[in-house]
Amino acid sequence: MTRRVAILISGGGSNMETLVKSMTGDHPARPVLVLSNTPDAGGLAKARALHVPTSVVDHRPFGKDRVAFEAELLKVLKTAKPDIICLAGFMRILSPEFMQHWSGQMLNIHPSLLPKYKGLHTHARAIAAGDSEHGCTVHVVTPELDDGPILGQAKLRIQPDDTAQTLAARVLPLEHALYPKVLRRFAAGDPTPVTLEQ
Ligand code: GAR
């Protein structure tokens, strides 16, 4: 049975775009919704151009009331009946109560080689630590931030002249290569982790 995928974004949506474009032909999943928490997310236009339904649940009117924000998010998501949720640059932290609706079926891409550098500023932190390699990770979302079983990683070598900006620019294409591969395996029920090296 074809798995229904909703993709949550907050910004440019380049990962969303590669995921949507990958779900064709004999792919075991199809995109059913792209949802943003910011009305001006560039990814919304990209999703519309790809003929994927879009929704916005703006977090700002809810202020600090995460319960009310998530209730609205849930209402909108449930209308699309997704089996799998892909977080793709979605910059809101979700509660364990929210996650339980798609327990084990919510994926996230994070721009570091987890378990290193959970949270923000991953590229600058990898450079500051003097790391020789860096990359990105797709994992199952669990209540701990940027934790949960790792489904795939893509690595590159940090160059002596790398800055946080150059590293971000070199990691992003790795994300685009990794996330669709992981989603395809995950949707097919194949537990083999994906490893990509540059
Ligand atoms: C990506 O680099 C993604 O890994 C990162 O945000 C960017 C979104 O870009 N996600 C996180 O930092 C999540 N903590 P995109 O909107 O072009 O896909």
Side-chain angles (χ1 to χ4, degrees), residues 1-179:
M1 252 242 305
T2 305
R3 316 288 311 279
R4 298 169 65 83
V5 177
I7 305 171
L8 271 55
I9 64 169
S10 299
S14 66
N15 277 288
M16 174 279 298
E17 193 172 24
T18 59
L19 288 174
V20 167
K21 285 181 175 168
S22 74
M23 284 184 264
T24 57
D26 66 354
H27 196 289
R30 286 291 182 271
V32 294
L33 180 68
V34 169
L35 192 154
S36 172
N37 68 298
T38 55
D40 52 357
L44 288 167
K46 289 181 187 153
R48 282 193 287 267
L50 291 164
H51 310 291
V52 180
T54 59
S55 279
V56 175
V57 179
D58 190 346
H59 65 279
R60 289 170 301 187
F62 297 97
K64 289 193 187 329
D65 190 352
R66 190 165 68 171
V67 173
F69 168 65
E70 289 188 349
E72 185 60 24
L73 207 55
L74 197 58
K75 197 171 94 188
V76 173
L77 274 172
K78 289 251 162 154
T79 62
K81 299 188 181 63
D83 304 303
I84 298 170
I85 303 233
C86 289
L87 305 182
F90 184 69
M91 304 308 272
R92 308 302 296 173
I93 292 174
L94 297 166
S95 71
E97 292 73 31
F98 181 86
M99 286 171 198
Q100 76 186 5
H101 293 275
W102 287 276
S103 181
Q105 300 299 315
M106 194 181 291
L107 312 186
N108 179 44
I109 187 151
H110 183 73
S112 79
L113 294 175
L114 290 173
K116 284 187 160 187
Y117 314 126
K118 298 174 180 183
L120 299 174
H121 312 301
T122 55
H123 309 299
R125 288 157 68 200
I127 290 174
D131 289 357
S132 58
E133 60 177 21
H134 185 52
C136 53
T137 303
V138 177
H139 65 97
V140 179
V141 175
T142 54
E144 283 296 310
L145 180 70
D146 299 328
D147 207 71
I150 289 175
L151 301 175
Q153 290 191 313
K155 294 180 189 175
L156 52 68
R157 296 205 70 75
I158 296 181
Q159 302 299 330
D161 58 352
D162 262 323
T163 63
Q165 287 73 26
T166 62
L167 211 43
R170 294 203 296 119
V171 169
L172 196 60
L174 290 187
E175 298 186 33
H176 298 162
L178 180 69
Y179 211 172

